[in-house]
Amino acid sequence: MRKQNVPYFLVLPCLVVLTVVMLYPLFTSIWLSFTDPKLGDPAHYNFAWLANYASMYEDPHFWPIIANTVTFTVLSIGISFLLALGAALLLNCDLRGRSILRALAFLPWAVPPVIAAMVFTAFYDSDFGLFNYVLKSVGAISEYQAWLADPDAVLYVIMSVVMWKYTPFLLIGLLAGLQAIPREMYEAALVDGASKLQRFRYVTLPQIRNISLMLVTLGAIWRFNHFDTIWAMTRGGPGYASQLMGTWAYLWLYFSDSPGHAAAIAVASMIILAVPVIVLIGKQMD
Amino acid sequence: MILIYVSFAAFPIYWMVMVSLKSTRAVLTETPVLIVLDPSIDSYVYVINDTKFVVQFLNTLLLATTTTAITLVVASLAAYALSRFQFRAKRPIMIMLLASNMLPVVLFVIPLLILMRTLHLFNTYYGLILTYTTFTLPFAAWMLKGYFDAIPREIEEAALTDGCTNLECIRKIVLPVAAPGLVATSVYSFLLAWQDYIWNLTLTSLDTMRTLNVGINSFLFFREYQWPAIMAYGVLSTVPVILVFLYLQKFLVSGLFAGGVKG
């Protein structure tokens, strides 16, 4: 009888911590989204039911922000995945110094997002930036542009930073997947007379299907929820041009007095994300 | 071909170092250069002496190491239990671990801010460390479970029949074999804690409690044209993490994908 309780004891500290920092906030957030408290006066919570959600829905920025979030997620994970796949295929061959190259390629992932944000802010700077300098030298633009102040371009600028930082993760994962493919499969295909393209299509792709789906799902989730880089570079601006749902919720928390409204946005973004995620995970169960 | 990709990856860091070495005079010229001709460490001296860098560095270091230590202990206990035992709560716990990674940070920030304020843990290390475990613990437990799963049970069973208790068994047999996994998890934890921005931003208001990431961001916003100084700040903030990472990344790579690579 004693022995059966052992695992519970071991897991207990972990559970305690997780309950405090995860379960409690999760349920509190959901509860908060239905109330209308003032941050400085927690004793008075008025139940506002769906008022927060309604005002969020009616906010003129609602749809643009959702569009931003979806664009950001889909484009950045799509491009990242293609880049990572290409690089992984290249790195899969036996090269000298491969581990050094791999380490260097993985480096952006270790850099704190805020530092990367800073470097790229300088890179895209309107007076000093390397980006402007290169473009002007090549003749692509006539004058230096203020990329981060341009409402049309800013989302893509930030996307480039996020892609720089997180593509390596996909790369390493895909590389691991590629290396797990047994050689015999390629040899068998060769014996059957398959060309390089056919080998890629019928051996490589199916073998990495599972890990690709997992990486893309995880990556998409993380990008949808991304906060640090955007906040550090533009705070969601100019105006609301680079605002995602996560930063919008934070904006409400920080600059207004209603955490209830902020919580509503956060919960809404969680629900919006849940739908495609469940679909994608369902696909992986096959 | 690969070199192009790798140079894209490494370039921003290289550029950061280069700019930080520029003397203040050289910045005013409009043309950026790839190699600095007369490097100067003025910016580094300035950053270390005249800004809040040192405090923030020590804060970040303290928070990262403490969080890693706590996470390691708590996560390995949990991971061992999840790996070696079957119990009813197992499934929901694992789902919880996985799902926590997928929720937006803001969702946790809002209530925890209120909680920390109420418990007077605002502007304290305890509050910060506790919230840091939000993101280090789940993945650490997951990773370590993968590692423990890969260790064959026969080793433990042999030790158990030789007469050592459950706890001894963990200490003498499992831990040494799982050492690479523990290292990988610590590196991951450390990296994540060092990279934090939102928690420190939200849960502190005093300059003395801020970490490097928040510090460099306010530095950037208030001193927009002092690029060498800003870059020096960045270099000094990133060097520790890069060193830790480069030295130990082998473990990390095998650790992250221990259980995930299936055909």
Side-chain angles (χ1 to χ4, degrees), chain A residues 37-45, chain B residues 114 118:
Chain A
K38 296 296 172 198
L39 196 55
D41 188 14
H44 295 110
Y45 286 92
Chain B
I114 300 176
T118 330

Side-chain angles (χ1 to χ4, degrees), chain B residues 34-205:
Chain B
L34 280 182
I35 300 181
V36 177
L37 295 168
D38 53 347
S40 91
I41 58 167
D42 286 349
S43 310
Y44 286 93
V45 175
Y46 172 72
V47 166
I48 295 181
N49 286 336
D50 294 325
T51 64
K52 307 267 185 339
F53 175 80
V54 183
V55 174
Q56 291 167 355
F57 184 87
L58 293 174
N59 280 340
T60 315
L61 191 63
L62 173 71
L63 289 171
T65 44
T66 325
T67 309
T68 304
I70 295 178
T71 305
L72 209 56
V73 171
V74 175
S76 25
L77 290 177
Y80 187 76
L82 288 171
S83 168
R84 292 291 186 246
F85 296 91
Q86 288 296 336
F87 49 100
R88 257 181 306 157
K90 187 167 170 177
R91 218 143 189 261
I93 293 178
M94 295 203 18
I95 295 178
M96 212 166 62
L97 289 180
L98 203 54
S100 67
N101 218 355
M102 305 183 185
L103 300 172
V105 198
V106 211
L107 201 64
F108 298 122
V109 169
I110 302 167
L112 283 180
L113 171 64
I114 300 176
L115 182 70
M116 290 299 156
R117 277 230 169 114
T118 330
L119 293 179
H120 299 292
L121 286 177
F122 191 78
N123 269 327
T124 64
Y125 289 120
Y126 298 110
L128 284 171
I129 293 175
L130 187 59
T131 50
Y132 277 25
T133 56
T134 325
F135 47 87
T136 56
L137 204 48
F139 217 91
W142 191 266
M143 261 178 86
L144 280 176
K145 174 181 180 298
Y147 260 101
F148 287 146
D149 281 342
I151 300 174
R153 288 179 174 230
E154 290 77 43
I155 303 180
E156 292 163 59
E157 280 162 19
L160 278 171
T161 51
D162 279 348
C164 64
T165 65
N166 231 320
L167 214 55
E168 252 181 16
C169 168
I170 299 177
R171 208 163 53 87
K172 288 187 190 159
I173 310 291
V174 178
L175 280 186
V177 179
L182 293 173
V183 172
T185 313
S186 328
V187 171
Y188 186 77
S189 232
F190 187 82
L191 275 181
L192 278 188
W194 192 279
Q195 292 183 353
D196 166 71
Y197 174 69
I198 189 174
W199 287 110
N200 191 256
L201 181 67
T202 322
L203 292 180
T204 62
S205 59

Side-chain angles (χ1 to χ4, degrees), chain A residues 10-11 14 18 21-22 25 29 90 103 109-110 112 114-115 119 122 127 133 164 173 210 225 232 235 246 250 254 270, chain B residues 1 8-9 12 16 74 77 81 96 100 102-103 106-107 111 195 197 201-202 213 217 221 225 227 231 249 252 257 263:
Chain A
L10 289 176
V11 188
C14 183
L18 280 182
V21 297
M22 210 193 103
S29 263
L90 285 169
W109 186 74
V114 178
I115 309 280
V119 177
D127 295 311
Y133 179 71
W164 175 81
N210 279 344
N225 291 330
R235 300 280 193 265
Y250 195 76
Y254 230 58
M270 177 176 79
Chain B
M1 185 66 106
F8 263 122
M16 179 168 69
V74 175
L77 290 177
M96 212 166 62
S100 67
M102 305 183 185
L103 300 172
V106 211
L107 201 64
Q195 292 183 353
Y197 174 69
L201 181 67
T202 322
N213 288 318
N217 200 241
F221 270 75
Y225 289 100
W227 289 115
M231 294 297 186
Q249 52 95 18
L252 193 61
F257 299 102

Side-chain angles (χ1 to χ4, degrees), chain A:
Chain A
M1 229 13 202
R2 275 268 172 91
K3 208 137 199 229
Q4 283 203 352
N5 289 328
V6 171
Y8 286 102
F9 279 123
L10 289 176
V11 188
L12 195 61
C14 183
L15 277 183
V16 167
V17 175
L18 280 182
T19 310
V20 172
V21 297
M22 210 193 103
L23 284 180
Y24 165 77
L26 185 60
F27 290 117
T28 311
S29 263
I30 298 176
W31 175 73
L32 266 180
S33 67
F34 294 124
T35 69
D36 185 23
K38 296 296 172 198
L39 196 55
D41 188 14
H44 295 110
Y45 286 92
N46 312 313
F47 253 97
W49 291 115
L50 292 178
N52 283 326
Y53 290 97
S55 63
M56 173 186 79
Y57 186 73
E58 281 158 21
D59 195 313
H61 302 292
F62 179 66
W63 287 112
I65 292 180
I66 289 197
N68 278 348
T69 315
V70 173
T71 316
F72 185 85
T73 307
V74 173
L75 267 184
S76 72
I77 196 78
I79 300 177
S80 272
F81 180 74
L82 291 173
L83 284 176
L85 185 59
L89 287 169
L90 285 169
L91 268 178
N92 200 22
C93 319
D94 287 316
L95 292 165
R96 270 181 308 158
R98 184 164 70 159
S99 48
I100 305 175
L101 286 179
R102 211 175 53 176
L104 279 180
F106 206 14
L107 196 58
W109 186 74
V111 174
V114 178
I115 309 280
M118 181 273 289
V119 177
F120 278 92
T121 306
F123 183 73
Y124 286 109
D125 186 66
S126 45
D127 295 311
F128 173 81
L130 201 57
F131 192 64
N132 273 322
Y133 179 71
V134 169
L135 283 186
K136 188 159 183 212
S137 317
V138 182
I141 54 175
S142 53
E143 291 190 340
Y144 280 14
Q145 307 274 351
W147 298 100
L148 284 172
D150 179 355
D152 294 320
V154 68
L155 193 65
Y156 302 100
V157 167
I158 300 182
M159 240 198 290
S160 66
V161 182
V162 171
M163 286 197 292
W164 175 81
K165 189 169 156 23
Y166 292 108
T167 307
F169 188 82
L170 288 174
L171 168 62
I172 301 293
L174 285 174
L175 192 60
L178 284 174
Q179 288 178 337
I181 303 177
R183 288 223 133 172
E184 294 80 46
M185 295 195 103
Y186 286 114
E187 284 162 18
L190 256 177
V191 167
D192 284 344
S195 70
K196 216 170 187 189
L197 201 59
Q198 283 173 323
R199 284 204 303 269
F200 177 73
R201 221 182 116 195
Y202 293 110
V203 179
T204 315
L205 282 186
Q207 287 294 314
I208 57 171
R209 180 177 177 267
N210 279 344
I211 194 167
S212 298
L213 272 178
M214 178 184 86
L215 288 171
V216 168
T217 311
L218 270 180
I221 294 173
W222 288 335
R223 311 242 174 142
F224 190 90
N225 291 330
H226 193 73
F227 177 85
D228 288 11
T229 318
I230 307 164
W231 194 259
M233 285 183 91
T234 59
R235 300 280 193 265
Y240 282 82
S242 61
Q243 207 75 257
L244 295 207
M245 292 210 72
T247 54
W248 194 34
Y250 195 76
L251 206 64
W252 271 95
L253 177 68
Y254 230 58
F255 294 113
S256 78
D257 224 1
S258 58
H261 197 108
I265 299 176
V267 172
S269 85
M270 177 176 79
I271 296 176
I272 293 176
L273 182 61
V275 174
V277 167
I278 292 177
V279 169
L280 274 172
I281 292 186
K283 253 191 167 177
Q284 285 181 54
M285 295 298 202
D286 298 333

